[in-house]
Amino acid sequence: MNSSNQYVDLYEQARDMIFRHSTQPMNAVRDAAFEDFKRLGLPNRKVEKYKYTDISKLFEPDYGVNLNRLEIPVDPYEAFKCDVPNLSTSLYFVVNDAFYTKALPKSHLPEGVVVGSLATAAAENPDFIAKYYAQLAKTADDGINALNTMLAQDGLFVYVPKNVKVDRAIQIINILRSDVDMMVNRRVLIVVEEGAEVKLLFCDHSADDCNFLATQVIEVYVGDNAALDLYCLEETHAKNVRVSNLYIDQKANSRVNHNVITLHNGITRNTTTLTFSGEGSECMLNGCVIADKHQHVDNHTVIDHKVAHCTSKELYKYVLDGEATGAFAGRVVVRKGAQKTISEERNQNLCITKEARMYTQPMLEIYADDVKCAHGSTVGQLNDAALFYMQQRGISQKEAKLLLEFAFINEVVDTIQLAPLCDRLHHLVEKRFRGELSKCVGCKLCR
């Protein structure tokens, strides 16, 4: 509990400051989250769902926390030069944990659509925010949720009203910016009402050569007959630690397509929990990881089929080089009465070197008797016969290796339904395999 104690002390000493710089809906659940955190502490490997990543150790260093909401000078267009171009998106920025209001897109969103500060939305519409905030991300059984809820003061709010279809994708650039080692606690609330449709792209970047620790809790509500495409792309650096918990609730006949792509990082732990609470819904959860050196990526997913006639498909692929470590634990639960469920879960992994390590744990829990469910996992190395065959036809060993890795990961990239992003990611993945990181000319963050 040593790493937890510093955060208990921090909250007790800075409670009044935290409350003063936040809003009533966020403050209303803060003390209860603190009590849960004191009881739970930060999870370690003894906690089953965190057994592949020792979270408590990651939180031991003494990070700065901007609880007094000091303005951190940044020009996001100057800091963010590693963009995904030609997407024709509505572009917004979040600097550390605060929505950036000084650079907003010139294009207008459809009437009623809101993309902005969570704290501002909570101040202007407290009853609406309180209806959704901290309802999916329970603090009683997860120390990360508790820590984030007790410290988060701002974040991002996205709202799409009933039957509104947002044609232009919305791109959110999360920029980590600091002159000293920094802890950031970001909160995201997304509400897509009945019949609405929206595509969201989150891009994580680090603008400074500092140690960053980022906790992120995302709560997503997808209404009846609504559709959400959510793409999360991480391109930070080796000094970055990210712990992200995503919760999605789907109502009847809704559709969700979620892709999480890790191209460069330090240590990453992603948790995705998706619940079907209305019949006739479908989801696709996809992920791809490219890691080398000493990078660590841990994806933990739960798909909860609470009702009948829902379909879930899940595909995660890892390519691990050097001494990188990967972990995947995917749990699909089909509850009693959830008949006519269709579920497919796959995790496939390549360990390029003998030093790379992959831990995989696909799981199925079925309590209904009229379902079609399958799951599987593979861990292997590049096919020597295929490498030999390509070399016999004049392709160098290095290029043959790259082509096989590229073909392996493309199955995930091709599930992205935003065509310009899909094309751009093909290019970024190829550069990543070639060791040409998608960073600015002269950037030293990832060397």
Side-chain angles (χ1 to χ4, degrees), residues 242-315:
R242 168 179 131 147
V243 182
S244 177
N245 288 358
L246 166 65
Y247 296 86
I248 302 174
D249 180 73
Q250 286 191 241
K251 300 300 183 185
N253 301 305
S254 61
R255 179 189 62 79
V256 167
N257 180 23
H258 173 52
N259 289 66
V260 56
I261 302 110
T262 305
L263 289 185
H264 202 278
N265 72 312
I267 297 175
T268 297
R269 159 65 190 223
N270 297 317
T271 301
T272 301
T273 303
L274 185 144
T275 302
F276 289 113
S277 56
E279 294 189 8
S281 297
E282 60 181 46
C283 78
M284 288 199 305
L285 298 187
N286 301 294
C288 71
V289 173
I290 303 172
D292 56 13
K293 300 182 177 69
H294 297 281
Q295 294 168 326
H296 175 90
V297 183
D298 178 358
N299 282 294
H300 181 95
T301 69
V302 177
I303 300 176
D304 191 349
H305 286 262
K306 282 190 172 182
V307 296
H309 300 281
C310 291
T311 300
S312 66
K313 293 185 178 180
E314 185 171 11
L315 174 62

Side-chain angles (χ1 to χ4, degrees), residues 137 144-145 148 186-189 215-219 245 247:
I144 295 299
N145 286 346
N148 181 279
R186 186 187 306 122
R187 198 71 181 219
V188 180
L189 177 60
T215 74
Q216 176 175 262
V217 173
I218 306 173
E219 296 175 287
N245 288 358
Y247 296 86

Side-chain angles (χ1 to χ4, degrees), residues 9 57 164 174 187 206 223 229 289 318 336 356 369 382 386 425:
D9 294 341
K57 185 176 181 180
V164 172
N174 296 315
R187 198 71 181 219
S206 300
D229 287 9
V289 173
Y318 289 62
K336 185 177 180 181
D369 56 10
L382 291 175
L425 279 174

Side-chain angles (χ1 to χ4, degrees), residues 13 19 35 43 46 63 87 95 106 110 112 126 156 167 258 353 377-378 396 434:
Q13 295 167 10
F19 271 65
E35 293 301 322
K46 294 180 181 179
Y63 292 93
L87 289 185
V95 179
K106 296 179 181 179
L156 175 71
D167 295 328
H258 173 52
T353 63
S377 177
T378 59
S396 69
R434 292 185 185 278

Side-chain angles (χ1 to χ4, degrees), residues 42-48 50-51 53-57:
L42 288 162
N44 54 35
R45 292 182 184 274
K46 294 180 181 179
V47 179
E48 175 63 25
Y50 286 100
K51 68 181 181 180
T53 304
D54 191 350
I55 296 294
S56 60
K57 185 176 181 180

